[in-house]
Amino acid sequence: MATGSEAGKPAEVVLEWPKQDKKRMLHAVYRVGDLDRTIKCYTECFGMKLLRKRDVPEEKYTNAFLGFGPEDTNFALELTYNYGVDKYDIGAGFGHFAIANEDVYKLAETIKSSSCCKITREPGPVKGGSTVIAFAQDPDGYMFELIQRGPTPEPLCQVMLRVGDLDRSIMFYEKALGMKLLRKKDVPQYKYTIAMMGYAEEDKTTVLELTYNYGVTEYNKGNAYAQVAIGTDDVYKSAEAVELVTKELGGKILRQPGPLPGLNTKITSFLDPDGWKVVLVDHADFLKELH
């Protein structure tokens, strides 16, 4: 992977890059069975905006980007519709997305009055705590946690994935991607532990919520949820660091860093130790794509 003068760099130099890089969570990619239905659902139920839509007939898919703010500053959901496929298996590994809102009770009423999403947990405080939450399910079966929270620059606030070894995952995301462990919480009465990983505080940005269920080391991931994309200032240096960390903790590089044919956006992609896919995108190239 390393070329020229970069070859043979000591590990500590390679692993210094993720600490300096200005990474940012860009979007989560997943598959839906009816794109127009889901767009209508998210705009009506959650108040998201349709940011852009593109059809790629030669590859037989259409995708749509939805979120609460422009993609050059905010996280987005990238919905993918593959021609003729109306159903996917979400599996047991993907957990939920989360939306922060100032009035979850009111948001739940809006969702109930729509015909597309349903409330699966009524609004109310979390057990043993004061934070008000609710859960909603979209037409494809994806779960959304609704979290009552004051004004935030990023309402699309979590992607929850289940992992088989929480300490290993925390170490992987810290070392390979420069994420910070923002919070860790063990809930022994319900036999799970969570870790919030991200690049800024939970009320300011989108975080990964990694969940470990006691004794469960592996999950069926289905074929619905695809990946999360993260912006980086240098895909080549980032890929070097990821490759080094995968040798220690597991996971693997899927696509060596370089430009995408046609687009020229530089990316690299890899699997984490649990097999969750991450795509790293050159941030300057990403911004060019948008404008």
Side-chain angles (χ1 to χ4, degrees):
M1 179 183 299
T3 56
S5 62
E6 294 188 345
K9 279 197 284 191
E12 58 269 24
V13 174
V14 173
L15 295 176
E16 198 55 40
W17 170 249
K19 299 173 195 172
Q20 301 165 7
D21 190 15
K22 294 181 177 66
K23 288 191 176 72
R24 179 172 80 82
M25 297 270 282
L26 300 179
H27 49 253
V29 184
Y30 55 104
R31 301 170 183 100
V32 298
D34 182 332
L35 194 58
D36 291 335
R37 176 185 67 183
T38 305
I39 292 167
K40 181 173 182 283
C41 182
Y42 289 6
T43 52
E44 284 182 9
C45 290
F46 304 134
M48 288 187 205
K49 298 178 182 77
L50 174 61
L51 304 168
R52 61 187 167 117
K53 191 175 177 184
R54 65 183 180 200
D55 186 34
V56 188
E58 62 275 18
E59 293 182 39
K60 297 186 177 175
Y61 75 85
T62 309
N63 53 18
F65 294 76
L66 289 99
F68 291 97
E71 287 178 76
D72 47 9
T73 53
N74 285 67
F75 191 72
L77 298 178
E78 181 181 340
L79 313 176
T80 300
Y81 169 69
N82 291 298
Y83 293 8
V85 186
D86 63 2
K87 201 167 172 45
Y88 292 94
D89 172 21
I90 292 175
F94 173 78
H96 61 253
F97 301 108
I99 295 171
N101 186 275
E102 291 178 58
D103 189 342
V104 164
Y105 294 95
K106 190 176 168 188
L107 180 58
E109 289 309 311
T110 301
I111 291 166
K112 285 178 187 174
S113 68
S114 83
S115 57
C116 54
C117 281
K118 59 183 181 191
I119 294 292
T120 60
R121 182 208 189 268
E122 290 293 334
V126 294
K127 288 189 175 80
S130 59
T131 305
V132 171
I133 67 162
F135 271 91
Q137 189 175 39
D138 83 356
D140 288 279
Y142 292 101
M143 299 300 294
F144 284 79
E145 183 180 11
L146 314 174
I147 303 170
Q148 192 146 304
R149 189 178 279 173
T152 172
E154 186 48 86
L156 201 47
C157 58
Q158 290 175 7
V159 179
M160 191 277 250
L161 303 171
R162 297 181 177 96
V163 299
D165 181 331
L166 193 59
D167 290 335
R168 176 185 67 184
S169 293
I170 291 167
M171 198 186 301
F172 183 90
Y173 283 96
E174 283 177 336
K175 289 181 78 168
L177 291 171
M179 284 190 182
K180 296 176 183 74
L181 173 61
L182 304 169
R183 178 165 65 96
K184 191 176 176 183
K185 184 183 177 188
D186 186 36
V187 188
Q189 65 271 39
Y190 295 107
K191 298 186 175 174
Y192 72 86
T193 311
I194 60 169
M196 300 295 191
M197 307 292 298
Y199 296 110
E201 292 310 308
E202 283 179 68
D203 60 349
K204 302 282 191 292
T205 187
T206 308
V207 301
L208 284 181
E209 177 183 341
L210 305 177
T211 299
Y212 169 69
N213 291 300
Y214 292 11
V216 186
T217 57
E218 213 174 315
Y219 292 93
N220 155 38
K221 292 180 184 58
N223 62 356
Y225 172 83
Q227 66 213 31
V228 72
I230 295 173
T232 172
D233 286 341
D234 191 320
V235 293
Y236 298 95
K237 288 181 181 176
S238 290
E240 279 187 297
V242 170
E243 187 155 67
L244 206 56
V245 178
T246 59
K247 285 172 181 164
E248 178 194 353
L249 297 170
K252 67 174 179 180
I253 296 276
L254 295 175
R255 188 186 194 284
Q256 294 294 341
L260 284 167
L263 273 179
N264 287 326
T265 298
K266 295 181 286 297
I267 72 160
T268 183
S269 65
F270 64 91
L271 299 179
D272 80 356
D274 288 277
W276 293 116
K277 187 179 176 185
V278 177
V279 178
L280 292 173
V281 183
D282 179 279
H283 208 242
D285 289 351
F286 175 71
L287 294 177
K288 276 183 213 159
E289 256 189 71
L290 295 179
H291 298 291

